[in-house]
Amino acid sequence: MPMKTSTLLALLLLLLTTSAFGIIVDEDTTDSISAPVSMVTEEAVRPQPALNVIGKDTPNDNGGSIQVSWDLSPDDAKGMVARYDVERKPVGAPDSQYEVIGDATAGGTSITDNYPESGKSYVYRVAAVNFAPTVAGGKVEVTSFSAESAPAKASAQWFNTNRTVVLIFAIVLGFLILWYIAQAKAGKELFIRRIAGLEAVDEAVGRATEMGKKIFYIPGTQDMENIQTIAGVTILGRVAKLAAEYETQLDVPVSRSLVMVTAREIVKEAYLNAGRPDAFNEDMVHYLTDDQFGYAAAIDGMVVREKPATMFYMGAFYAESLILAETGNSIGAIQIAGTAMPAQLPFFVAACDYTLIGEELFAASAYLSKEPKLLGSLKGQDVGKGLILVVILIGVIIQTLGVYDVQSLLNIVAE
């Protein structure tokens, strides 16, 4: 049945309309894929640069560092800055390029350049960095650079102004020491509190003399670079002089060759000062071993066999302290110990008759010799320490009452 003309026209119009819509949709889809979305997004999220970049030499140091500071990007507060990259370039080198020397997180306003070459000037710039999304789903960095800073150069300072308080105390302490040395040389009697362990030295040597037995002197297990060993061999001089005067046999086993040489010279001089150089024998001071427990075992064997009347332990000791002291205690020897090793002090206190605690060991040489320089130095240090304690106490009171910010004067403590 033939179709009417109006119907055919309607179908034709519908077909053309459908085809036209299909073209429009295809064109829109193609545009959405090929458009440079990342380029548009980068500009949208690119932060404004940091401001007022300054590079300056680090104050109060020995050179070798430059502090770089800047003002935050205006977009930092908006969360549009992920970090700041700091770059530098040497001055007077046209072919050189900026190199990144460090970075700071958002909100950071400074870093320290710890690796500038001495005597060379640098300029700095700061890159504000943010991230923009890519079409592929990743991220790309977008940066904006600040203006270049003025040239800066690292240099050393002659005086650290943060140490002014220390300088003042050093001057006061030095004055006190020199003043008390002068007093001692002038013949003034300087009071030093009684130290029981040192008072007992004469008694201990006398007891060995009466019993006709040996004196064992142990100067610790460390070498001559240890200050406790130095203090120990200094006291040895006093003990050796008494032993020479009383004609008592002295035995000094050591664990270091250098200590052996030093101790021999000290004992030799002590016998010479006592007027008994003929009684000196190099074998009084003899080497055993460097091994810690081998040394302790050798001494224990000698103690058990020879049963000395008196034993001195003066110097640095570790785990062998109780092994030695208990062995000496088991044979009934009078024992005097001295060490600045806090962990070993309880063992010596428990097993020995007298113990020099901490600084008493270092004060022993002045106490025993009565030499003006040593006495004046000891007295000056003690008075200086007392003065520092008084200043600290006054500072705590002032700080607690809120009268003045004393802590600002003592910034050396914070550093």
Side-chain angles (χ1 to χ4, degrees):
M1 183 177 174
M3 191 176 293
K4 293 182 177 179
T5 304
S6 58
T7 303
L8 288 174
L9 289 173
L11 290 173
L12 180 60
L13 181 60
L14 178 62
L15 178 62
L16 291 174
T17 304
T18 304
S19 300
F21 277 120
I23 291 170
I24 292 171
V25 170
D26 289 345
E27 286 179 350
D28 287 346
T29 303
T30 303
D31 287 343
S32 65
I33 293 174
S34 60
V37 175
S38 61
M39 294 298 292
V40 174
T41 308
E42 286 177 12
E43 293 303 323
V45 298
R46 189 184 302 279
Q48 297 183 63
L51 306 171
N52 301 324
V53 179
I54 299 173
K56 65 178 182 180
D57 176 41
T58 302
N60 298 320
D61 70 348
N62 59 353
S65 67
I66 296 175
Q67 292 182 339
V68 184
S69 61
W70 61 89
D71 292 341
L72 294 176
S73 163
D75 289 332
D76 191 288
K78 303 174 184 175
M80 292 179 60
V81 177
R83 69 172 191 273
Y84 295 98
D85 287 343
V86 181
E87 302 179 352
R88 76 176 184 192
K89 186 174 70 172
V91 175
D95 297 333
S96 61
Q97 302 293 323
Y98 273 103
E99 61 173 341
V100 177
I101 60 164
D103 58 62
T105 57
T109 58
S110 66
I111 68 166
T112 300
D113 179 7
N114 291 312
Y115 304 101
E117 291 185 27
S118 178
K120 183 180 285 189
S121 296
Y122 295 89
V123 291
Y124 295 86
R125 70 178 183 181
V126 176
V129 181
N130 197 7
F131 295 98
T134 63
V135 175
K139 291 182 178 179
V140 61
E141 288 186 355
V142 288
T143 61
S144 54
F145 293 97
S146 68
E148 193 174 82
S149 72
K153 180 170 62 177
S155 60
Q157 281 72 54
W158 286 100
F159 178 68
N160 185 347
T161 56
N162 292 330
R163 304 296 177 94
T164 303
V165 175
V166 177
L167 176 63
I168 294 172
F169 278 116
I171 292 174
V172 172
L173 186 60
F175 171 77
L176 289 172
I177 291 174
L178 294 175
W179 191 78
Y180 277 109
I181 289 176
Q183 293 290 305
K185 285 183 175 179
K188 186 176 181 180
E189 189 72 21
L190 300 180
F191 171 76
I192 298 178
R193 72 173 176 85
R194 179 176 175 271
I195 300 177
L198 298 178
E199 294 283 342
V201 169
D202 289 5
E203 175 192 345
V205 176
R207 178 180 175 182
T209 304
E210 293 173 355
M211 297 178 68
K213 292 185 177 181
K214 278 187 174 181
I215 298 171
F216 269 36
Y217 192 98
I218 318 299
T221 57
Q222 300 302 299
D223 216 330
M224 286 307 300
E225 83 278 1
N226 191 298
I227 187 66
Q228 297 181 65
T229 305
I230 295 174
V233 295
T234 302
I235 299 172
L236 171 63
R238 168 68 174 175
V239 175
K241 186 177 180 182
L242 289 174
E245 293 173 348
Y246 296 164
E247 299 182 1
T248 306
Q249 191 175 355
L250 177 65
D251 197 339
V252 186
V254 300
S255 64
R256 306 286 175 173
S257 58
L258 192 56
V259 175
M260 180 185 71
V261 174
T262 307
R264 273 182 179 170
E265 290 301 316
I266 289 176
V267 173
K268 184 178 180 180
E269 183 180 354
Y271 272 72
L272 183 63
N273 293 335
R276 294 299 311 276
D278 56 305
F280 172 72
N281 186 343
E282 284 193 349
D283 292 338
M284 290 178 179
V285 183
H286 55 97
Y287 171 81
L288 293 177
T289 174
D290 278 24
D291 182 75
Q292 177 188 10
F293 292 107
Y295 178 64
I299 293 176
D300 283 351
M302 295 164 60
V303 169
V304 172
R305 289 192 301 274
E306 303 180 25
K307 293 183 171 47
T310 302
M311 296 193 67
F312 291 94
Y313 308 98
M314 298 289 178
F317 292 88
Y318 290 90
E320 73 282 356
S321 61
L322 188 58
I323 298 173
L324 296 172
E326 272 299 305
T327 304
N329 184 274
S330 68
I331 64 167
I334 182 172
Q335 299 191 105
I336 301 176
T339 186
M341 307 296 286
Q344 307 307 319
L345 283 172
F347 302 130
F348 280 137
V349 171
C352 296
D353 299 278
Y354 301 96
T355 303
L356 305 180
I357 299 174
E359 290 193 351
E360 290 182 347
L361 173 65
F362 306 122
S365 57
Y367 190 93
L368 293 174
S369 67
K370 307 297 183 185
E371 205 278 329
K373 290 182 180 177
L374 295 177
L375 280 176
S377 177
L378 179 64
K379 188 72 176 178
Q381 291 179 54
D382 285 348
V383 174
K385 291 173 186 174
L387 181 62
I388 291 173
L389 288 176
V390 171
V391 171
I392 291 174
L393 181 61
I394 294 174
V396 169
I397 294 173
I398 293 175
Q399 185 80 32
T400 303
L401 297 177
V403 177
Y404 184 76
D405 185 14
V406 181
Q407 190 173 359
S408 63
L409 297 176
L410 302 174
N411 50 7
I412 178 59
V413 177
E415 291 186 353

